[in-house]
């Protein structure tokens, strides 16, 4: 089922339920009002009968006579003859004595009798009265009241026909049912129209996406004809996602191109020297030794490049880190290994230390990459390389600085890109893979840290890495 139909059905269902509830509430309210009005009619008729009886009794007393129920029932004919009310067609009246014998009744009862109760029914109630044979019983609002004349006790029964009331209520219920059905049909049609209008931008977007097939799959969706609503927000979000995907594709293409270039150079050297050994090694023994050294050197370079790429892929997998690591022993161990080979590497300055949550091998690789990068940068001018470890509040800061030639400002935004080299020829000659700083950035990100670089030409470069202490709350990895 399409969204348009679902929206239409939801709208229709909501309108139908509301119309039904309102119609039922109106019908019940009107029914209650009409029945209450009927009860008031009975009360008015009761007062009328009691008033007439009292007037007759007073008249008889003036004539020094006594009004008897049995003897003078004919005098009540004037009361019973008025069997109409100002709102209802028929009101049935019946008079009984203390022994519950019927003395007189209104002519509209047609020889039938109203029920006689053993106790007075002062609150009107509903009864079914069969007045005409082979017809449905008539709904009557019935009540029985006491009547006393002089020393005589009796009762009179009143019944108010609800035929017109019930007929009106049935017709009203029929009209309301028809109204609800018509409202449901109209709401369905209106829902279809409104849903089509509301979803027309989505249809337009779908057509744009469909037209992209076979062309540029990352083309942005036009938002010129969209209003500033949720669909516009969704489109803008989708366009942002497309831009990110496009950036990822471009970065991936650049990475594949650079990786292919990095692999091609050593593979070409290995292949060339292998062919040279095959052709001339027997007649020129010195070629065998030189080519063997070249093949070994390029194979080692390929091995380092492969290891770096595997490590990079591992870091991008967001591996969980739970081990507490002290950076100070790692820094001292690396300095102890490198200092005999690089005398210009100064002893680390450690003012304060601490622990972080991480992987010791990754952190060791991070420090080693930063130090080797600084040592390579100072090869030409023999500048010193020094590092500093400190702690401030819940942060641990590691700084690696050199007094090399520095890095131009135009290169700084690209330093952490894979296979990016400030000096391509010098780095390849030194045997670098071109992804050392990219690994550093991934290791920092994996440990939820921050890294920044400060460099000035002819003054040197400084890499500053900041981690959260193991006891501090760390932000979620994104």
């Amino acid at each position: 089922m399409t969204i348009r139909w679902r929206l239409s059905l939801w709208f229709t269902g909501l309108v139908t339920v509301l119309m039904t509830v309102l119609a039922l509430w109106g019908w019940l309210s009107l029914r209650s009002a009409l029945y209450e009005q009927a009860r008031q009619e009975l009360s008015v008729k009761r007062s009328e009968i009691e008033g007439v009886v009292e007037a007759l009794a007073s008249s008889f007393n003036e004539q020094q006579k006594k009004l008897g129920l049995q003897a003078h029932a004919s005098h009540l004919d004037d009361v019973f003859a008025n069997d109409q009310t100002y709102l209802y067609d028929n009101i049935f009246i019946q008079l009984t004595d203390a022994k519950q014998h019927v003395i007189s009744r209104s002519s509209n009862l047609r020889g039938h009798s109203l029920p006689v109760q053993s106790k007075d029914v002062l609150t009107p109630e509903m009864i079914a009265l069969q007045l005409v044979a082979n017809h449905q019983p008539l709904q009557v609002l019935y009540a029985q009241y006491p009547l006393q004349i002089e020393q005589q006790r009796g009762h009179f029964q009143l019944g108010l026909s609800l035929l017109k009331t019930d007929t009106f209520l049935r017709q009203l219920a029929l009209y309301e049912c028809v109204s609800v059905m018509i409202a449901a049909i109209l709401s369905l049609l209106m829902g279809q129209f409104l849903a089509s209008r509301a979803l027309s931008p989505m249809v337009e977007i779908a057509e744009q996406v469909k037209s992209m097939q076979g062309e540029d799959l990352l083309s942005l969706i036009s938002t010129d004809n969209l209003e500033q609503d949720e669909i516009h927000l969704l489109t803008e979000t989708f366009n942002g996602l497309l831009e990110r995907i496009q950036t990822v594709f471009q970065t991936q293409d650049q990475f594949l191109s650079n990786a292919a270039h990095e692999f091609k150079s050593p593979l070409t050297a290995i292949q060339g020297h292998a062919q040279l050994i095959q052709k001339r090694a027997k007649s020129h023994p010195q070629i065998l030794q030189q080519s063997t050294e070249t093949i070994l050197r390029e194979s080692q370079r390929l091995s380092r490049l492969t290891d770096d790429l595997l490590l990079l892929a591992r870091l991008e997998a967001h591996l969980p880190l739970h081990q507490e690591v002290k950076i100070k022993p790692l820094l001292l161990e690396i300095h102890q290994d490198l200092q005999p080979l690089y005398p210009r590497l100064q002893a680390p300055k450690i003012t304060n230390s601490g622990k972080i949550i991480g992987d010791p091998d990754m952190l060791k690789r991070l420090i080693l990459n930063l130090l080797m990068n600084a040592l390579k940068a100072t090869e030409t001018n023999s500048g010193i390389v020094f590092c500093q470890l400190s702690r401030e509040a819940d942060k641990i800061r590691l700084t690696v600085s050199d007094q090399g030639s520095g890095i131009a400002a135009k290169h700084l935004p690209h330093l952490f890109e894979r296979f990016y080299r400030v000096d391509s020829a010098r780095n390849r000659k030194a045997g670098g893979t071109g992804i050392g700083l990219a690994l550093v950035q991934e290791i920092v990100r994996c440990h939820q840290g921050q890294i920044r670089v400060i460099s000035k030409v002819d003054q040197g470069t400084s890499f500053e890495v900041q981690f959260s202490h193991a006891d501090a709350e760390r932000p979620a990895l994104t």
Side-chain angles (χ1 to χ4, degrees), residues 196-217:
S196 298
R197 288 289 301 274
L199 295 176
S200 59
M202 297 294 293
V203 176
E204 181 180 348
I205 292 173
E207 292 296 332
Q208 291 187 42
V209 174
K210 187 177 180 180
S211 65
M212 295 178 188
Q213 297 180 2
E215 299 178 2
D216 188 1
L217 297 179

Side-chain angles (χ1 to χ4, degrees), residues 125-152:
E125 61 184 21
M126 297 285 296
I127 64 171
L129 186 61
Q130 187 77 39
L131 294 181
V132 181
N134 301 325
H135 282 73
Q136 291 293 333
L138 181 66
Q139 290 294 323
V140 173
L141 192 62
Y142 170 84
Q144 177 175 295
Y145 303 105
L147 180 65
Q148 183 169 352
I149 301 176
E150 300 297 339
Q151 301 300 322
Q152 305 174 70

Side-chain angles (χ1 to χ4, degrees), residues 97-328:
D97 58 16
K99 297 182 179 181
Q100 299 182 353
H101 295 151
V102 177
I103 300 174
S104 182
R105 63 173 68 91
S106 59
S107 60
N108 56 6
L109 281 173
R110 302 177 183 178
H112 297 273
S113 298
L114 292 174
V116 180
Q117 306 293 339
S118 58
K119 295 182 179 180
D120 293 330
V121 182
L122 301 180
T123 302
E125 61 184 21
M126 297 285 296
I127 64 171
L129 186 61
Q130 187 77 39
L131 294 181
V132 181
N134 301 325
H135 282 73
Q136 291 293 333
L138 181 66
Q139 290 294 323
V140 173
L141 192 62
Y142 170 84
Q144 177 175 295
Y145 303 105
L147 180 65
Q148 183 169 352
I149 301 176
E150 300 297 339
Q151 301 300 322
Q152 305 174 70
R153 292 183 59 86
H155 305 274
F156 67 96
Q157 295 81 30
L158 298 179
L160 183 63
S161 171
L162 299 178
L163 177 61
K164 282 192 173 183
T165 301
D166 291 341
T167 302
F168 172 75
L169 290 175
R170 284 195 297 270
Q171 291 177 346
L172 179 61
L174 177 62
Y175 293 153
E176 289 185 342
C177 290
V178 173
S179 299
V180 170
M181 293 178 61
I182 293 175
I185 296 174
L186 292 178
S187 63
L188 181 61
L189 297 177
M190 184 63 69
Q192 282 281 302
F193 173 74
L194 295 177
S196 298
R197 288 289 301 274
L199 295 176
S200 59
M202 297 294 293
V203 176
E204 181 180 348
I205 292 173
E207 292 296 332
Q208 291 187 42
V209 174
K210 187 177 180 180
S211 65
M212 295 178 188
Q213 297 180 2
E215 299 178 2
D216 188 1
L217 297 179
L218 298 179
S219 298
L220 299 183
I221 299 175
S222 175
T223 59
D224 297 336
N225 299 327
L226 298 180
E227 298 181 1
Q228 297 293 328
D229 54 10
E230 290 80 359
I231 296 179
H232 184 277
L233 177 61
L234 176 62
T235 305
E236 290 290 340
T237 304
F238 185 72
N239 284 340
L241 178 61
L242 289 178
E243 290 177 348
R244 292 176 59 187
I245 294 176
Q246 188 174 19
T247 302
V248 171
F249 281 176
Q250 291 174 353
T251 304
Q252 186 180 30
D253 291 341
Q254 184 66 32
F255 170 74
L256 293 176
S257 176
N258 293 334
H261 182 73
E262 293 294 332
F263 276 102
K264 183 178 180 180
S265 178
L267 287 175
T268 301
I270 292 174
Q271 183 180 8
H273 282 275
Q275 292 175 351
L276 185 61
I277 291 174
Q278 187 179 23
K279 293 179 179 180
R280 303 181 61 183
K282 293 181 179 180
S283 58
H284 299 80
Q286 69 278 10
I287 293 179
L288 176 61
Q289 183 177 357
Q290 294 175 357
S291 297
T292 302
E293 292 176 354
T294 301
I295 291 175
L296 180 60
R297 182 178 63 253
E298 296 299 329
S299 298
Q300 291 174 346
R301 180 183 171 191
L302 280 176
S303 179
R304 290 196 303 273
L305 182 58
T306 303
D307 291 340
D308 287 345
L309 290 175
L310 290 175
L311 179 57
L312 195 61
R314 180 188 173 197
L315 291 174
E316 290 178 344
H318 302 298
L319 298 178
L321 303 174
H322 305 290
Q323 184 177 353
E324 290 188 353
V325 182
K326 294 182 178 180
I327 298 183
K328 179 180 178 180

Side-chain angles (χ1 to χ4, degrees), residues 298-413:
E298 296 299 329
S299 298
Q300 291 174 346
R301 180 183 171 191
L302 280 176
S303 179
R304 290 196 303 273
L305 182 58
T306 303
D307 291 340
D308 287 345
L309 290 175
L310 290 175
L311 179 57
L312 195 61
R314 180 188 173 197
L315 291 174
E316 290 178 344
H318 302 298
L319 298 178
L321 303 174
H322 305 290
Q323 184 177 353
E324 290 188 353
V325 182
K326 294 182 178 180
I327 298 183
K328 179 180 178 180
L330 295 179
L331 185 58
L332 294 176
E333 179 183 349
I334 294 174
H335 175 266
Q336 185 179 2
D337 293 340
L338 294 181
Q339 207 280 330
L341 301 175
Y342 303 96
R344 60 183 181 275
L345 176 61
Q346 301 295 309
K349 182 180 180 182
I350 303 175
T351 57
N352 200 350
S353 183
K355 299 179 292 184
I356 68 171
I357 303 298
D359 183 275
D361 293 333
M362 290 184 186
L363 292 172
K364 188 173 182 180
R365 183 64 177 272
L366 179 148
I367 299 172
L368 186 60
N369 279 10
L370 290 178
L371 288 175
M372 293 303 300
N373 191 71
L375 291 170
K376 292 175 183 177
T378 57
E379 285 179 344
T380 57
N381 61 0
S382 300
I384 64 172
V385 175
F386 55 94
C387 54
Q388 181 176 356
L389 180 64
S390 62
R391 177 182 176 183
E392 298 178 3
D394 59 348
K395 301 293 183 181
I396 296 178
R397 181 176 290 106
L398 172 66
T399 304
V400 176
S401 304
D402 64 70
Q403 297 178 344
S405 57
I407 302 173
K410 65 178 182 179
H411 296 296
L412 293 180

